[in-house]
Amino acid sequence: MTDMGGDQIEEAVASCAALLRAAAGRDWDGVRAGRLEWSCRRTAEHIASDLIAYAGQLAGRAGTAYVPFKIAVDEGTGDAGVVDVIETTGALLAAAVRTTPREVRAFHPYPFRSANREGFAAMGVAEVLLHTHDIAEGLGLPYEPPAELCARVLATIFPHVRPEPDAPWSTLLWATGRGDLPGREPLTEWRWNNNLVIDTERLTLEGVTPAAAADLHTGGTGGFEWIEGGPFEGTRDASGMAVSAYEKGLHRPEWGIFVLVRREDGRAVGAMGFHGAPDEKERAEVGYDLAENARGQGYATEALRALAEYALARDDVKLLFATIDQDNASSQRVVARAGFTLVSEDLEQFGDELNDGEGSLRLYARDS
């Protein structure tokens, strides 16, 4: 599964325009758009407004708030003209996404106050698909966008939603309160979820979406530009674990994997993260690896300190731990410098599942 980008925005807009142009002679003003309070006309104008707003956020590198502007369709514009505006604003967002560097982030409130180009692309695609559905429902027209497009949206900005492999469109409708899925309670409130980033002096820890994790696990780059020798095997294995958790509905993005991106050149040097959300005792396990060419420069220590401080500042975790092979002296030094203490002599307090039975692992922990 590749990144969300300009091609996907254009594909979504084309599916929208095809339906709306065929319905341009209908009464858009007098009909509500599906479950929305807006008319079909107002909803179509809203699609264009969202697309240009997202383009503006990226192009303007908005840091703390929405760029204070809006567009208005000229008075007297017919419905076909509104479709022209949707196509134009879609092209502008696609261009902004294609020309924005991978590491750039701009303001968006949900949930971590920023999004990168893939996030804005996914949000734009979601707005187009979902509001086209609303209009089609209001006008009594059939509409179902490409399944792969829906799956990419889900795997980018709905990482907390268990996907239905054979029904990504139905899953997306359910996840946004627009439909039902067998065995799942209807949703009345929902938010999409852009990835978390944590900054350090020399690095950015960038949360890996299920879409990026799937690409990493199958031999791709995850959309990152890696230094020579990366990504390392441990990153691909951890990505596979993240994909498995996502497919089971157990993935929690703030307790997932983070790729370590070097600020000086935007290149990824390794990965770090959690083995899952905190357990019933409010404990979480951390793990990490670096590309060989990035080792010995303090990157792992710097990143682990930041990740530990982020996690231990939360209300749902009291202790972090790491299990390290007794022969891996360099990794033991990393965790020690990051504030973890050797507690191997008291393994029983962590449960039998952490003891490999052969004494080949050492356990380090850090609490709040």
Side-chain angles (χ1 to χ4, degrees), residues 299-358:
Y299 291 138
T301 299
E302 182 177 329
L304 185 56
R305 283 175 181 156
L307 191 66
E309 289 169 3
Y310 155 77
L312 293 171
R314 294 173 56 96
D315 295 331
D316 52 353
V317 65
K318 293 181 179 178
L319 183 139
L320 299 178
F321 66 91
T323 54
I324 302 172
D325 191 280
Q326 64 179 359
D327 296 328
N328 192 343
S330 61
S331 189
Q332 292 173 43
R333 288 193 293 270
V334 166
V335 294
R337 287 194 294 262
F340 288 67
T341 302
L342 178 65
V343 291
S344 291
E345 63 272 19
D346 199 18
L347 268 174
E348 62 270 14
Q349 70 171 304
F350 292 91
D352 293 338
E353 72 278 7
L354 301 182
N355 191 342
D356 68 351
E358 299 178 358

Side-chain angles (χ1 to χ4, degrees), residues 148-332:
E148 176 64 17
L149 199 56
C150 302
R152 288 184 180 182
V153 170
L154 288 166
T156 304
I157 56 173
F158 290 92
H160 51 293
V161 172
R162 175 169 58 86
E164 292 287 347
D166 298 325
W169 177 227
S170 297
T171 306
L172 183 57
L173 292 177
W174 173 83
T176 57
R178 288 172 167 83
D180 299 320
L181 279 178
R184 304 197 200 187
E185 292 293 324
L187 295 182
T188 56
E189 295 183 358
W190 60 273
R191 294 288 188 198
W192 48 50
N193 194 312
N194 281 293
N195 62 332
L196 171 65
V197 294
I198 301 171
D199 291 324
T200 74
E201 181 179 355
R202 296 180 296 165
L203 303 169
T204 296
L205 282 64
E206 184 167 336
V208 176
T209 66
D215 186 56
L216 281 166
H217 181 55
T218 55
T221 66
F224 297 90
E225 186 176 353
W226 291 82
I227 65 169
E228 185 179 355
F232 205 61
E233 181 180 352
T235 297
R236 298 202 187 279
D237 292 342
S239 296
M241 294 169 58
V243 172
S244 178
Y246 169 64
E247 291 172 345
K248 296 174 182 176
L250 301 176
H251 180 64
R252 299 294 175 265
E254 63 271 37
W255 297 106
I257 313 168
F258 297 80
V259 165
L260 314 184
V261 179
R262 199 161 54 190
R263 286 176 175 274
E264 66 181 35
D265 58 6
R267 291 180 176 271
V269 298
M272 179 175 292
F274 304 96
H275 290 209
D279 62 17
E280 67 280 358
K281 296 181 180 179
E282 299 182 319
R283 308 171 307 185
E285 184 175 3
V286 296
Y288 52 89
D289 75 351
L290 294 180
E292 291 187 12
N293 290 341
R295 296 173 186 175
Q297 301 177 54
Y299 291 138
T301 299
E302 182 177 329
L304 185 56
R305 283 175 181 156
L307 191 66
E309 289 169 3
Y310 155 77
L312 293 171
R314 294 173 56 96
D315 295 331
D316 52 353
V317 65
K318 293 181 179 178
L319 183 139
L320 299 178
F321 66 91
T323 54
I324 302 172
D325 191 280
Q326 64 179 359
D327 296 328
N328 192 343
S330 61
S331 189
Q332 292 173 43

Side-chain angles (χ1 to χ4, degrees), residues 5-17 21 44-56 58 71 81-99 117 120-129:
D7 290 350
Q8 287 70 45
I9 295 167
E10 291 172 348
E11 184 179 11
V13 169
S15 76
C16 168
R21 287 201 185 281
E45 293 178 351
H46 176 78
I47 294 173
S49 178
D50 279 336
L51 292 171
I52 193 63
Y54 292 157
L58 275 180
I71 64 168
V82 176
V83 181
D84 291 339
V85 178
I86 291 173
E87 290 178 320
T88 300
T89 52
L92 290 171
L93 177 57
V97 166
R98 287 178 173 132
T99 56
R117 66 188 185 191
F120 278 106
M123 290 187 291
V125 169
E127 296 281 5
V128 172
L129 301 185

